[in-house]
Amino acid sequence: MRKKIVAGNWKMNQDLESGKALFAEIVNGAKQEITGEQLVVVCPPSIILSELANSAKDSSNVFVGSQNCHQKDSGAYTGEISAAMVKSTAAEYVILGHSERRQYFGENEELLAQKVDAALKNGLKPIFCIGETLEERNSNRYFEVIKSQLEGGLFHLTAEQFADIVLAYEPVWAIGTGLTASPEQAQEIHAFIRAELAKKFGQEAADNATILYGGSCNPGNASSLFSQQDIDGGLIGGASLKAGDFLAIIKALN
Ligand code: PEP
């Protein structure tokens, strides 16, 4: 049975006080909005992860995650945070491969594969992001780009390890731009991803994989995206910073 998830990526927004207030609204609202097995994952800046993770301990459907982790266990890597440190805050998830990390911090598939390993070794569930740029879409190379991101970042895993991965298809041209993939465009890629997963890890693993859509998802378009057969929820940026919008997106998952 696939997990349905709405995850919020706060990026470099919210300090301790505003983050605690926003998170409390989300936890309280989620109690009302979630009627089934759906999960909410909030990924705040790392500096407030511990505070939020502690306050979510009693919640059965809201979890927290980091927006990144380092590939090494420890050492002289000034400013970095290891997967073990993230896990020690009671966080359960970590976003890896976000297009902003790929674009601004030069993260490539080789590095991301190491980060995936570090996360899994430390008991974190990676939310692994993949997606094509506008240029790659317009030149009809998006299937090959998605395939090579899957192969490079995840296809060294066993099917057992892969069971802890959540995938997020996020077309780069839709992130923070107000442009959203149409439900049909998103479904086409999600179905392709699931077929590639079936070839690599087997049909059962592919059927059980949670594949989120991300890219300007909002209360107005969430239902039509989430009703697609292979879309199991969303990774939400801008709209996760407003409790009302985020809760409306969570409601669209029902
Ligand atoms: C994201 O950053 O993962 C994202 C999907 O952002 P937005 O919802 O703002 O497009």
Side-chain angles (χ1 to χ4, degrees), residues 182-200:
S182 68
E184 295 73 25
Q185 281 175 321
Q187 167 59 26
E188 181 188 36
I189 299 289
H190 281 234
F192 171 75
I193 293 169
R194 209 176 293 285
E196 291 302 311
L197 296 177
K199 279 190 233 162
K200 172 66 190 170

Side-chain angles (χ1 to χ4, degrees), residues 9 11 98 100 170 174-177 214-217 235-239:
N9 174 13
K11 311 192 186 190
H98 191 279
E100 287 152 17
E170 299 207 301
I175 295 179
T177 57
S216 299
C217 191
L235 177 54
I236 318 299

Side-chain angles (χ1 to χ4, degrees), residues 21-37:
L22 175 58
F23 189 66
E25 277 191 79
I26 292 168
V27 171
N28 288 332
K31 276 191 204 135
Q32 261 101 65
E33 302 301 353
I34 296 181
T35 52
E37 299 287 304

Side-chain angles (χ1 to χ4, degrees), residues 216-231:
S216 299
C217 191
N218 61 44
N221 60 28
S223 294
S224 56
L225 286 159
F226 297 170
S227 62
Q228 298 297 309
Q229 194 184 342
D230 288 292
I231 301 183

